[in-house]
Short mmCIF file of all heavy atoms in Angstrom, two decimals:
data_model
loop_
_atom_site.label_atom_id
_atom_site.label_comp_id
_atom_site.label_asym_id
_atom_site.label_seq_id
_atom_site.Cartn_x
_atom_site.Cartn_y
_atom_site.Cartn_z
N LYS X 1 -3.85 -9.98 -0.44
CA LYS X 1 -3.32 -9.07 -1.45
C LYS X 1 -3.62 -9.68 -2.82
O LYS X 1 -3.17 -10.78 -3.14
CB LYS X 1 -1.81 -8.88 -1.29
CG LYS X 1 -1.18 -7.94 -2.33
CD LYS X 1 0.29 -7.70 -2.02
CE LYS X 1 0.98 -6.93 -3.12
NZ LYS X 1 0.45 -5.58 -3.33
N ASP X 2 -4.42 -8.96 -3.60
CA ASP X 2 -4.80 -9.41 -4.94
C ASP X 2 -3.71 -9.00 -5.92
O ASP X 2 -3.59 -7.82 -6.26
CB ASP X 2 -6.15 -8.80 -5.33
CG ASP X 2 -6.71 -9.39 -6.61
OD1 ASP X 2 -5.94 -10.01 -7.36
OD2 ASP X 2 -7.92 -9.23 -6.86
N MET X 3 -2.92 -9.97 -6.38
CA MET X 3 -1.78 -9.68 -7.25
C MET X 3 -2.21 -9.23 -8.65
O MET X 3 -1.41 -8.69 -9.40
CB MET X 3 -0.88 -10.91 -7.37
CG MET X 3 -0.38 -11.44 -6.03
SD MET X 3 0.60 -10.23 -5.11
CE MET X 3 2.06 -10.14 -6.11
N MET X 4 -3.47 -9.46 -8.99
CA MET X 4 -3.94 -9.09 -10.32
C MET X 4 -4.72 -7.78 -10.31
O MET X 4 -5.18 -7.33 -11.35
CB MET X 4 -4.83 -10.21 -10.89
CG MET X 4 -4.12 -11.54 -11.05
SD MET X 4 -2.66 -11.43 -12.10
CE MET X 4 -3.45 -11.10 -13.68
N HIS X 5 -4.85 -7.15 -9.14
CA HIS X 5 -5.58 -5.89 -9.06
C HIS X 5 -4.72 -4.79 -9.67
O HIS X 5 -3.60 -4.53 -9.22
CB HIS X 5 -5.91 -5.56 -7.60
CG HIS X 5 -6.92 -4.47 -7.45
ND1 HIS X 5 -6.66 -3.16 -7.79
CD2 HIS X 5 -8.21 -4.50 -6.99
CE1 HIS X 5 -7.73 -2.43 -7.55
NE2 HIS X 5 -8.68 -3.22 -7.07
N SER X 6 -5.20 -4.13 -10.68
CA SER X 6 -4.42 -3.16 -11.42
C SER X 6 -4.15 -1.89 -10.61
O SER X 6 -5.07 -1.20 -10.19
CB SER X 6 -5.15 -2.79 -12.73
OG SER X 6 -4.36 -1.92 -13.51
N GLY X 7 -2.87 -1.62 -10.39
CA GLY X 7 -2.48 -0.36 -9.75
C GLY X 7 -3.01 -0.19 -8.34
O GLY X 7 -3.44 0.90 -7.97
N LEU X 8 -2.99 -1.24 -7.53
CA LEU X 8 -3.48 -1.15 -6.16
C LEU X 8 -2.42 -0.50 -5.28
O LEU X 8 -1.29 -0.96 -5.22
CB LEU X 8 -3.80 -2.55 -5.62
CG LEU X 8 -4.34 -2.64 -4.20
CD1 LEU X 8 -5.75 -2.04 -4.14
CD2 LEU X 8 -4.36 -4.09 -3.72
N SER X 9 -2.79 0.58 -4.61
CA SER X 9 -1.84 1.26 -3.73
C SER X 9 -1.80 0.57 -2.37
O SER X 9 -2.71 -0.16 -2.01
CB SER X 9 -2.23 2.73 -3.55
OG SER X 9 -3.36 2.85 -2.71
N PHE X 10 -0.74 0.84 -1.61
CA PHE X 10 -0.63 0.27 -0.27
C PHE X 10 -1.76 0.80 0.61
O PHE X 10 -2.32 0.05 1.42
CB PHE X 10 0.72 0.61 0.34
CG PHE X 10 0.93 0.01 1.70
CD1 PHE X 10 1.30 -1.31 1.84
CD2 PHE X 10 0.75 0.77 2.85
CE1 PHE X 10 1.48 -1.89 3.09
CE2 PHE X 10 0.93 0.22 4.11
CZ PHE X 10 1.30 -1.12 4.23
N THR X 11 -2.11 2.06 0.46
CA THR X 11 -3.21 2.65 1.23
C THR X 11 -4.51 1.92 0.96
O THR X 11 -5.29 1.61 1.88
CB THR X 11 -3.35 4.14 0.89
OG1 THR X 11 -2.13 4.81 1.20
CG2 THR X 11 -4.48 4.78 1.68
N GLU X 12 -4.77 1.60 -0.32
CA GLU X 12 -5.97 0.86 -0.68
C GLU X 12 -5.93 -0.57 -0.15
O GLU X 12 -6.94 -1.12 0.28
CB GLU X 12 -6.14 0.86 -2.20
CG GLU X 12 -6.45 2.24 -2.76
CD GLU X 12 -6.28 2.33 -4.27
OE1 GLU X 12 -5.44 1.59 -4.82
OE2 GLU X 12 -6.96 3.16 -4.89
N LEU X 13 -4.74 -1.19 -0.19
CA LEU X 13 -4.58 -2.54 0.35
C LEU X 13 -4.93 -2.57 1.83
O LEU X 13 -5.62 -3.49 2.29
CB LEU X 13 -3.15 -3.02 0.13
CG LEU X 13 -2.78 -4.37 0.74
CD1 LEU X 13 -3.58 -5.49 0.09
CD2 LEU X 13 -1.29 -4.64 0.59
N CYS X 14 -4.46 -1.57 2.57
CA CYS X 14 -4.78 -1.50 4.00
C CYS X 14 -6.29 -1.36 4.21
O CYS X 14 -6.87 -2.03 5.09
CB CYS X 14 -4.05 -0.32 4.64
SG CYS X 14 -2.28 -0.58 4.88
N ALA X 15 -6.92 -0.51 3.44
CA ALA X 15 -8.37 -0.29 3.58
C ALA X 15 -9.13 -1.58 3.31
O ALA X 15 -10.10 -1.90 4.01
CB ALA X 15 -8.82 0.80 2.62
N MET X 16 -8.69 -2.36 2.32
CA MET X 16 -9.36 -3.62 1.99
C MET X 16 -9.24 -4.63 3.12
O MET X 16 -10.07 -5.53 3.26
CB MET X 16 -8.76 -4.19 0.70
CG MET X 16 -9.10 -3.41 -0.56
SD MET X 16 -8.16 -3.95 -2.01
CE MET X 16 -8.72 -5.63 -2.16
N ASN X 17 -8.17 -4.51 3.93
CA ASN X 17 -7.94 -5.44 5.03
C ASN X 17 -8.31 -4.85 6.38
O ASN X 17 -8.01 -5.45 7.43
CB ASN X 17 -6.48 -5.89 5.04
CG ASN X 17 -6.16 -6.89 3.94
OD1 ASN X 17 -6.46 -8.07 4.05
ND2 ASN X 17 -5.58 -6.40 2.85
N GLY X 18 -8.97 -3.69 6.39
CA GLY X 18 -9.39 -3.07 7.63
C GLY X 18 -8.24 -2.60 8.49
O GLY X 18 -8.33 -2.59 9.72
N LYS X 19 -7.13 -2.19 7.87
CA LYS X 19 -5.94 -1.76 8.58
C LYS X 19 -5.67 -0.27 8.33
O LYS X 19 -6.12 0.30 7.34
CB LYS X 19 -4.72 -2.57 8.14
CG LYS X 19 -4.86 -4.07 8.30
CD LYS X 19 -4.91 -4.48 9.75
CE LYS X 19 -4.98 -5.98 9.92
NZ LYS X 19 -5.00 -6.40 11.34
N THR X 20 -4.90 0.32 9.24
CA THR X 20 -4.52 1.73 9.11
C THR X 20 -3.08 1.82 8.60
O THR X 20 -2.17 1.27 9.22
CB THR X 20 -4.62 2.46 10.45
OG1 THR X 20 -5.97 2.39 10.92
CG2 THR X 20 -4.21 3.92 10.31
N PRO X 21 -2.85 2.51 7.46
CA PRO X 21 -1.49 2.60 6.93
C PRO X 21 -0.68 3.73 7.56
O PRO X 21 -1.25 4.73 8.02
CB PRO X 21 -1.74 2.90 5.44
CG PRO X 21 -3.01 3.71 5.46
CD PRO X 21 -3.84 3.14 6.58
N SER X 22 0.61 3.56 7.60
CA SER X 22 1.52 4.64 7.95
C SER X 22 2.84 4.37 7.23
O SER X 22 3.07 3.27 6.71
CB SER X 22 1.72 4.76 9.47
OG SER X 22 2.15 3.54 10.03
N THR X 23 3.70 5.38 7.21
CA THR X 23 4.89 5.32 6.36
C THR X 23 6.09 5.96 7.01
O THR X 23 5.96 6.98 7.70
CB THR X 23 4.61 6.05 5.02
OG1 THR X 23 3.50 5.43 4.37
CG2 THR X 23 5.81 6.02 4.10
N LYS X 24 7.26 5.38 6.78
CA LYS X 24 8.53 6.00 7.14
C LYS X 24 9.34 6.18 5.86
O LYS X 24 9.59 5.22 5.13
CB LYS X 24 9.32 5.14 8.13
CG LYS X 24 10.67 5.73 8.52
CD LYS X 24 11.41 4.84 9.51
CE LYS X 24 12.75 5.45 9.89
NZ LYS X 24 13.49 4.57 10.84
N LEU X 25 9.75 7.40 5.57
CA LEU X 25 10.52 7.68 4.36
C LEU X 25 11.97 7.27 4.57
O LEU X 25 12.63 7.71 5.52
CB LEU X 25 10.43 9.17 4.02
CG LEU X 25 11.09 9.62 2.71
CD1 LEU X 25 10.41 8.96 1.52
CD2 LEU X 25 11.02 11.15 2.59
N LEU X 26 12.48 6.40 3.69
CA LEU X 26 13.85 5.92 3.80
C LEU X 26 14.79 6.63 2.85
O LEU X 26 15.97 6.81 3.16
CB LEU X 26 13.90 4.41 3.52
CG LEU X 26 13.05 3.52 4.44
CD1 LEU X 26 13.15 2.06 3.99
CD2 LEU X 26 13.49 3.66 5.89
N ALA X 27 14.28 7.05 1.69
CA ALA X 27 15.11 7.78 0.71
C ALA X 27 14.21 8.48 -0.28
O ALA X 27 13.16 7.96 -0.66
CB ALA X 27 16.05 6.82 -0.02
N ALA X 28 14.61 9.68 -0.70
CA ALA X 28 13.86 10.42 -1.71
C ALA X 28 14.81 11.41 -2.38
O ALA X 28 15.46 12.20 -1.69
CB ALA X 28 12.67 11.15 -1.10
N GLY X 29 14.90 11.36 -3.71
CA GLY X 29 15.78 12.30 -4.39
C GLY X 29 16.00 11.91 -5.84
O GLY X 29 15.36 10.99 -6.37
N ILE X 30 16.90 12.61 -6.48
CA ILE X 30 17.29 12.35 -7.86
C ILE X 30 18.60 11.57 -7.83
O ILE X 30 19.59 12.04 -7.26
CB ILE X 30 17.47 13.65 -8.66
CG1 ILE X 30 16.23 14.53 -8.56
CG2 ILE X 30 17.82 13.34 -10.11
CD1 ILE X 30 14.99 13.96 -9.19
#
Protein backbone atom coordinates (compact mmCIF):
# COMPACT_ATOMS: atom_id res chain seq x y z
CA LYS A 1 0.00 0.00 0.00
CA ASP A 2 1.59 3.23 -1.21
CA MET A 3 0.78 5.78 1.51
CA MET A 4 1.81 8.67 -0.73
CA HIS A 5 -0.40 7.70 -3.68
CA SER A 6 -2.90 10.53 -4.03
CA GLY A 7 -6.52 9.46 -3.65
CA LEU A 8 -5.98 5.71 -4.06
CA SER A 9 -9.25 3.82 -3.73
CA PHE A 10 -9.55 0.40 -2.13
CA THR A 11 -10.65 -1.01 -5.49
CA GLU A 12 -7.47 0.34 -7.09
CA LEU A 13 -5.36 -1.00 -4.22
CA CYS A 14 -6.79 -4.47 -4.81
CA ALA A 15 -6.07 -4.25 -8.54
CA MET A 16 -2.45 -3.25 -7.84
CA ASN A 17 -2.06 -6.35 -5.66
CA GLY A 18 -3.87 -8.73 -8.01
CA LYS A 19 -6.79 -9.14 -5.60
CA THR A 20 -10.57 -9.03 -6.03
CA PRO A 21 -12.39 -6.46 -3.84
CA SER A 22 -15.74 -6.88 -2.16
CA THR A 23 -17.65 -4.88 0.42
CA LYS A 24 -20.09 -5.19 3.30
CA LEU A 25 -22.02 -2.02 4.17
CA LEU A 26 -21.97 -1.37 7.93
CA ALA A 27 -23.65 2.05 8.07
CA ALA A 28 -24.93 4.69 5.64
CA GLY A 29 -27.01 7.77 6.36
CA ILE A 30 -27.17 11.35 7.58
